[in-house]
């Protein structure tokens, strides 16, 4: 059944405020496989930091590569000032065997990789080989010889040239069987490896080129460095020479925090993308003084202690990071340093004073909550010291009393209604902010948001958070944020790459489940990089020339959410269409975002009052065969934006908008 609708936009009344481009920001967090997917290194455990996973003392993701019966393996202290450990391999001359270590990897090609090695060897071992092999065909893809010139620790660098891609490769680091043998006696045949890495020459700022290219298209405006891990993260461990940075256990998510993506690398990533950085400080296990030193490292001159350290690390010019966030989900029991609202607010004041004493120009965000009692305490105690209060909006099916046993249609309608919860949470928080002039200046930053099909288990290897239906929910969320854009000026979609369930850019097919950890890949296509339907939505919204909001009204049909829990809004007459309208700065172009949340096609008439429109409009459409349609490594472009020209006459008679789909219409002045 088709329904008719009329959308009316008053183009004569643009908003007095402008839409902040930071509203379309994104979020990087060292969570599960986020860094593994984002960074360009194909090898794991590059510093031998992990425990042995087999009976032989071989670190973590590596395994023994030898045909010698007497080859011995051990883990020892690393090279001086380096973190992790050293892998020791002892070869017996009598074995006349090859011996070393190996690791599975997915390799791009044709490609040149820069190989870095830190090694030492007993004087008889004069060279080793680093070789890439196709595991399925046992075909060598390329190798490079490293001549070992010292019994002491030495850095080595070489180029490994691969003629083709190989998704199922093995990297071998070994002394070959035809190496000249030696007479066995004490201290012979020993090789120590402290670091082994490969980096493709097309990487940008240590990040996969494909990820950088796709992120550029998001036109993010702002990039946030934060998340649960930050409350146990000490920034000073993440600067300086990478090999000398300590290995830190990721207390929030398990595994090792990436020492290769610290402050300097994050800033370089932001500058490559030309986006504003937002850094969240550690207020959980950290101190105000530590946060102030981080501010000084980023913004201080070379005549300051931390500015001098930054310069010594190769960055003499200040980074001038303006936006800083104090506290990440401090109200959550899962958070390091969780505490009461009063206690957090007192900490927040101490952090704000210390940080602004270092740099008075900072713009400070403080951890808020959908619980208004929390916000009341934070605003009353710390409101005069902050510029933004933050919200994290993962509404989830639990808000409707639903679970995975609920019929699929009802679950979809609930997800499509998530923006109603967004409106309610913003409305309540806005009222709390406006309740007292002393904190009436505070704005809102929604520094994490996404759909959440709680409990978020994986459907046939693919999370429901990546469906077209999820993209519809996120588009409606963006419309709500736009309608509140005088107050809501910062947004961060969670996450950018892989990580939790939500990464809008996907690398390969490994998915992280909140409760079960990372699910292993299952397709054999680990090199595929693609966007989810929500990626297409984020790219669409951020790519439009929008500066002012316009009043918009839609007369349309409605749908009902059959919830098992009461909600603070009506559930029996939710509009099929969610509409937000904007103009560019001079009013010469109008953009109308239309989200058909319903499971019915809608024929929409579009009326623009007070605007002499051209006869042709440009229509951008994100749609698919069903709300459950999804992109995957097998069909990475199943859901992509399509653009066509639609005449004004077609809008006058009603243009068909497909069910569960997202649209943007741009109309130029005549």
């Amino acid at each position: 059944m088709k329904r008719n609708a009329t959308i009316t936009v008053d183009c004569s009344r643009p908003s007095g405020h402008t839409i902040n481009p930071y509203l379309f920001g994104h979020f990087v967090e060292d969570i599960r496989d986020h860094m593994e997917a984002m960074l360009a290194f194909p090898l794991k455990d590059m510093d031998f930091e992990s425990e042995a996973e087999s009976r032989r003392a071989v670190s973590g993701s590596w395994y023994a590569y030898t045909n010698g019966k007497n080859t011995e393996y051990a883990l020892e202290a690393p090279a001086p000032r380096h973190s992790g450990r050293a892998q020791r391999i002892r070869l017996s001359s009598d074995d006349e065997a090859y011996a070393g270590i190996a690791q599975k990897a997915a390799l791009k090609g044709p490609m040149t990789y820069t190989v870095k090695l830190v090694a030492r060897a007993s004087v008889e071992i004069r060279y080793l080989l680093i070789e890439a092999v196709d595991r399925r065909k046992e075909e060598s893809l390329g190798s490079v010889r490293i001549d070992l010139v010292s019994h002491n620790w030495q850095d080595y660098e070489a180029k490994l040239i691969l003629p083709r891609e190989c998704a199922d490769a093995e990297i071998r680091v070994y002394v070959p069987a035809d190496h000249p043998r030696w007479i066995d006696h004490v201290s012979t045949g020993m090789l120590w490896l402290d670091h082994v890495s490969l980096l493709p020459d097309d990487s940008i700022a240590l990040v996969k080129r494909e990820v950088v290219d796709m992120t550029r298209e998001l036109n993010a405006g702002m990039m946030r460095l934060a998340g649960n891990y930050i409350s146990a993260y000490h920034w000073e461990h993440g600067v300086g020479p990478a090999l000398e940075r300590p290995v830190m256990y990721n207390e929030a998510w398990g595994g090792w925090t990436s020492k290769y993506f610290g402050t300097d690398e994050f800033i370089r990533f932001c500058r490559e993308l030309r986006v504003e950085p937002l850094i969240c400080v550690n207020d959980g296990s950290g101190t105000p003084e530590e946060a102030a030193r981080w501010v000084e490292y980023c913004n201080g001159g070379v005549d300051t202690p931390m500015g001098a350290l930054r310069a010594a690390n190769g960055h003499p010019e200040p980074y001038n990071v303006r936006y800083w966030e104090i506290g990440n989900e401090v109200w959550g029991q899962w958070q390091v340093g969780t505490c009461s609202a009063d206690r957090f607010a007192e900490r927040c004041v101490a952090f704000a004073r210390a940080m602004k004493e270092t740099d008075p120009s900072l713009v400070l965000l403080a951890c808020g909550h959908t619980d208004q009692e929390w916000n009341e305490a934070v605003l009353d105690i710390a409101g005069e010291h902050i510029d933004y209060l933050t919200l994290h909006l993962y509404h989830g099916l639990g808000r409707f009393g639903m679970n995975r046993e609920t019929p699929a249609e009802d679950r979809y309608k609930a997800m499509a209604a998530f923006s109603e919860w967004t409106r309610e949470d913003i409305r309540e928080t806005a009222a709390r902010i406006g309740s007292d002039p002393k904190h009436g200046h505070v704005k809102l930053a929604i520094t994490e948001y996404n759909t959440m099909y709680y409990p978020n288990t994986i459907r046939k290897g693919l999370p429901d958070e990546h469906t077209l239906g999820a993209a519809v929910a996120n588009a409606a969320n963006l419309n709500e944020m736009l309608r509140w854009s005088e107050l809501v000026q910062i947004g961060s979609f969670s996450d950018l790459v892989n990580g939790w369930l939500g990464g809008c850019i996907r690398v390969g097919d490994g998915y992280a489940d909140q409760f079960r950890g990372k699910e292993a890949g299952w397709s054999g296509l680990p090199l595929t990089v693609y966007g989810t339907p929500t990626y297409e939505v984020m790219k669409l919204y951020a790519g439009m020339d929008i500066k002012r909001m316009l009043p918009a009204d839609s007369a349309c049909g409605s749908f009902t959410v059959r919830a098992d829990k009461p909600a603070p809004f009506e559930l029996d007459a939710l509009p099929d269409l969610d509409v937000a309208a904007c103009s560019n700065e001079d009013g010469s172009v109008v953009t109308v975002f239309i989200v058909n949340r319903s499971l019915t096609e809608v024929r929409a008439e579009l009326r623009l009052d007070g605007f002499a429109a051209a006869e042709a409009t440009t229509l951008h459409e994100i749609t698919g065969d069903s709300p459950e349609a999804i992109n995957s490594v097998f069909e990475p472009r199943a859901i992509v934006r399509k653009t066509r020209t639609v005449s004004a006459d077609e809008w006058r008679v009603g243009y068909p908008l497909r069910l569960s789909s997202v649209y943007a219409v741009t109309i130029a002045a005549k």
Side-chain angles (χ1 to χ4, degrees), residues 463-667:
D464 290 325
E465 278 77 1
H466 293 179
T467 61
L468 175 61
V472 165
N474 281 316
N477 263 335
L478 283 174
N479 280 356
E480 196 59 46
M481 290 159 66
L482 282 168
R483 286 189 285 267
W484 284 95
S485 54
E486 185 172 10
L487 178 69
V488 181
Q489 299 187 353
I490 293 173
S492 302
F493 180 77
S494 172
D495 293 328
L496 179 65
V497 187
N498 285 34
W500 200 19
L501 289 176
C504 69
I505 297 173
R506 300 302 307 179
V507 176
D509 59 0
Y511 290 89
D513 182 282
Q514 184 183 9
F515 300 111
R516 291 183 291 153
K518 183 185 172 186
E519 287 288 304
W522 47 271
S523 70
L525 299 171
L527 293 168
T528 303
V529 182
Y530 63 96
T532 67
T534 293
Y535 171 85
E536 296 293 324
V537 166
M538 298 298 297
K539 184 170 65 170
L540 172 68
Y541 275 67
M544 293 292 117
D545 182 9
I546 55 174
K547 289 292 187 292
R548 307 277 176 177
M549 294 301 299
L550 299 172
D553 177 69
S554 58
C556 60
S558 63
F559 64 95
T560 297
V561 177
R562 295 184 179 88
D564 293 329
K565 287 173 64 175
F569 47 84
E570 294 297 323
L571 295 172
D572 58 355
L574 299 176
D576 289 343
L577 302 184
D578 188 307
V579 179
C582 318
S583 72
N584 63 349
E585 186 57 56
D586 65 10
S588 62
V589 177
V590 171
T591 299
V592 185
F593 297 108
I594 309 170
V595 183
N596 183 3
R597 304 188 294 179
S598 76
L599 292 170
T600 304
E601 183 180 287
V602 175
R603 298 191 70 89
E605 178 187 355
L606 180 59
R607 299 175 180 174
L608 303 182
D609 294 344
F611 187 76
E615 283 301 307
T617 71
T618 301
L619 179 68
H620 307 272
E621 178 184 53
I622 300 170
T623 188
D625 293 334
S626 81
E628 292 193 344
I630 198 165
N631 292 343
S632 71
V633 287
F634 297 114
E635 294 183 89
R637 293 182 58 80
I639 308 293
V640 294
R641 175 175 60 176
K642 296 179 180 177
T643 302
R644 61 171 60 90
T645 300
V646 176
S647 70
D649 286 341
E650 290 177 272
W651 285 112
R652 279 189 280 268
V653 300
Y655 187 84
L657 305 177
R658 300 186 70 189
L659 63 89
S660 185
S661 298
V662 180
Y663 297 86
V665 190
T666 56
I667 310 104

Side-chain angles (χ1 to χ4, degrees), residues 51-308:
E51 298 297 326
E53 296 180 0
S54 66
R55 64 181 181 83
R56 280 179 157 158
V58 179
S59 177
S61 299
W62 297 94
Y63 45 87
Y65 176 68
T66 183
N67 62 346
K69 292 186 292 183
N70 298 299
T71 306
E72 298 175 0
Y73 292 87
L75 291 167
E76 296 186 356
R81 298 187 305 279
H82 287 192
S83 64
R85 289 181 291 194
Q87 178 71 65
R88 189 184 79 215
I89 307 159
R90 185 167 191 177
L91 298 75
S92 169
S93 181
D94 289 344
D95 281 348
E96 297 186 356
Y98 60 83
I101 55 173
Q103 183 179 144
K104 297 176 185 177
L107 301 174
K108 298 166 63 172
M111 180 58 60
T112 298
Y113 281 85
T114 297
V115 178
K116 289 191 176 180
L117 185 76
V118 178
R120 61 182 290 249
S122 55
V123 295
E124 304 83 14
I125 298 184
R126 298 172 185 173
Y127 67 90
L128 57 77
L129 299 181
I130 298 179
E131 184 179 24
V133 176
D134 185 320
R135 294 179 66 244
R136 296 182 183 180
K137 298 180 180 179
E138 268 298 318
E139 171 192 340
S140 178
L141 300 169
S143 67
V144 60
R145 171 172 162 153
I146 304 287
D147 289 316
L148 302 172
V149 298
S150 176
H151 180 256
N152 208 344
W153 290 110
Q154 187 82 19
D155 294 348
Y156 299 92
E157 187 171 312
K159 296 291 185 180
L160 178 63
I161 301 172
L162 303 184
R164 63 174 176 85
E165 174 186 297
C166 185
D168 190 8
E170 183 174 78
I171 295 296
R172 299 169 178 172
V173 184
Y174 66 103
V175 177
D178 60 1
H179 186 287
R181 294 292 115 175
W182 52 91
I183 299 172
D184 272 323
H185 57 80
V186 176
S187 302
T188 59
M190 284 192 279
L191 170 67
W192 290 265
L193 302 171
D194 175 80
H195 170 85
V196 180
S197 66
L198 277 70
L199 189 68
D201 281 4
D202 71 340
S203 63
I204 300 173
L206 302 184
V207 178
K208 290 182 174 71
R209 173 173 288 275
E210 299 88 345
V211 169
V212 172
D213 289 345
M214 290 188 68
T215 306
R216 280 201 182 104
E217 292 185 24
L218 286 170
N219 197 27
M222 177 173 276
M223 191 66 65
R224 174 178 182 253
L225 180 70
N228 286 353
Y229 88 103
I230 211 76
S231 292
Y233 178 78
H234 299 287
W235 71 269
E236 286 157 313
H237 294 173
V239 299
L243 299 187
E244 296 180 17
R245 299 175 188 177
V247 173
M248 287 186 291
Y249 188 76
N250 190 325
E251 295 179 38
W253 300 109
W256 301 111
T257 296
S258 175
K259 69 179 187 180
Y260 292 94
F261 195 80
T263 303
D264 299 311
E265 290 78 18
F266 172 66
I267 297 299
R268 184 181 172 194
F269 182 55
C270 290
R271 289 188 170 175
E272 288 286 346
L273 299 171
R274 298 184 179 179
V275 299
E276 187 78 18
L278 165 62
I279 294 177
C280 185
V281 299
N282 174 2
D283 90 308
S285 62
T287 64
E289 294 76 18
E290 181 182 21
R293 290 196 301 274
W294 201 353
V295 171
E296 185 176 280
Y297 183 85
C298 289
N299 298 352
V302 295
D303 56 342
T304 65
M306 293 299 101

Side-chain angles (χ1 to χ4, degrees), residues 324-396:
W324 295 79
E325 186 174 356
I326 302 171
N328 180 87
E329 297 179 6
V330 185
W331 34 263
Q333 292 301 313
W334 52 87
Q335 195 73 35
V336 172
T338 185
C339 64
S340 67
D342 287 355
R343 178 69 188 109
F344 167 71
E346 292 164 358
R347 284 194 335 216
C348 185
V349 171
F351 272 77
R353 284 174 171 160
M355 294 165 72
K356 284 204 168 184
E357 186 176 341
T358 301
D359 184 346
S361 70
L362 300 187
V363 178
L364 295 183
L365 293 70
C367 174
H369 195 8
T370 54
D371 179 349
Q372 295 309 319
E373 290 185 8
W374 174 279
N375 292 339
E376 180 180 10
V378 172
L379 289 167
D380 285 351
I381 297 171
E384 296 172 272
H385 298 270
I386 63 174
D387 303 286
Y388 285 84
L389 191 68
T390 70
L391 290 180
H392 288 182
L393 300 181
Y394 300 101
H395 301 303

